[in-house]
Structure formats: structure tokens, C-alpha cells
Amino acid sequence: MRLRNQTQASWAQIDVQLKRRHELIPNLVEGARGYAAHERVTFEAVTAARGAAVSGGLGVTDRAVAEDALTATLGRLFALGESYPELKADQHFSTVQTELRSAEDKIAYARQFYNSAVQSYHTALESFPGNIVAGLGGAHERREYFETAAAAQDAVQVRFA
């Protein structure tokens, strides 16, 4: 029970961090929109990806896919900051971008903690005497890991021209 509760609590921490991230995104988009209004496709992609990520009822795997898509579109939005020196110099955009990066770090930590809790929970369910106790106590389903897409795990290639 303790381990099951720990997986639920650690998932709640991921949810808190993801909500914080989702709250920051509209501020970032609005800040960038003034400088790069013709980049409408990027703004729409970020908004759509955010909408998919905040929609309710997603399981762990579907939520991870939605968050990965959001991360990819945010990368394109951050690239706009590099393309437009005025935007990069804007204090509001810079502050929100820094807060988002901090949120990303907290999400990574919360994801790591959650996955560790899930691993401990699965080990207890599959080991003696936990497997006996779990069987007597009713259905204890396995939890899904919160995993990133394979593309996000690939090493970044840097080439100098």
C-alpha cells in the first residue's frame, strides 16, 4: 500500500509541474507574437500541442506522448528567440523562457522520481512475500512508466561548419 501510494503521490508531483509549465506557455507565446507575428504556424502548433497536453483523461503513456509533442513545439518557439534579436533581448520573454527551463528541470526530476517509485512498486508486487500479500489484498495493477520518446533520447549531434 505504501508503495502504491508513493506512485500516486509522485504522479501528482509530475502533474503539478506539468500544470505550471502549461500556465507559462501562453505568456511565452504572447511575448513572442509581438516580435514575430508572421510566425503564425509556430504559435498555432504550440497552442494546439498545449491543448492536447492539458486535455483530461489521458493515461501515463498518452500523456507522455502529448508532453513530448509540446516539448518539440516549444523548441521551435525557443528557436524564434534566437532568430529575432529583439525578442531575445525582451525581458518578459527571457524571464518566461527561464521559468520554463526551470519547470522542465523539475519535470525531469519528478519523472525520474515517479519511475523509481513505479519500479519499487513493481518489485514489491513481484517479490515474495509482497506477491502473496498483493494477491490477498485484491487487484494491484501495474503502473505505466512515464517515458520520453525515442527521438528525445538520441544524442545531440553538433557539427561545426
Side-chain angles (χ1 to χ4, degrees):
M1 292 305 287
R2 179 182 57 79
L3 293 172
R4 184 186 71 183
N5 292 342
Q6 186 176 26
T7 62
Q8 291 170 340
S10 58
W11 178 254
Q13 276 299 352
I14 289 176
D15 199 42
V16 165
Q17 298 305 327
L18 292 175
K19 285 178 182 173
R20 173 71 180 135
R21 176 191 194 200
H22 299 154
E23 291 170 1
L24 290 169
I25 291 170
N27 293 328
L28 189 68
V29 169
E30 284 306 312
R33 189 171 283 169
Y35 290 97
H38 60 281
E39 299 284 356
R40 193 190 71 186
V41 173
T42 301
F43 301 136
E44 289 174 355
V46 171
T47 302
R50 179 186 177 274
V54 298
S55 65
L58 297 178
V60 174
T61 302
D62 292 334
R63 185 83 182 259
V65 169
E67 292 298 333
D68 285 342
L70 180 56
T71 299
T73 60
L74 280 175
R76 292 197 312 253
L77 185 60
F78 287 158
L80 285 180
E82 298 298 321
S83 300
Y84 295 90
E86 315 84 42
L87 178 58
K88 189 175 182 179
D90 182 78
Q91 186 62 39
H92 176 73
F93 183 82
S94 179
T95 300
V96 175
Q97 190 175 19
T98 300
E99 287 182 37
L100 262 173
R101 286 197 173 117
S102 173
E104 294 292 336
D105 290 343
K106 290 175 184 176
I107 290 166
Y109 175 77
R111 181 183 321 191
Q112 179 184 6
F113 186 79
Y114 169 77
N115 285 339
S116 178
V118 168
Q119 180 184 18
S120 296
Y121 178 68
H122 289 172
T123 300
L125 286 179
E126 296 167 0
S127 301
F128 181 80
N131 57 354
I132 304 291
V133 173
L136 293 173
H140 292 280
E141 71 281 350
R142 292 180 59 82
R143 304 279 193 234
E144 297 177 66
Y145 288 100
F146 193 74
E147 299 175 312
T148 60
Q153 297 174 5
D154 293 341
V156 175
Q157 306 242 340
V158 178
R159 295 192 178 126
F160 296 100

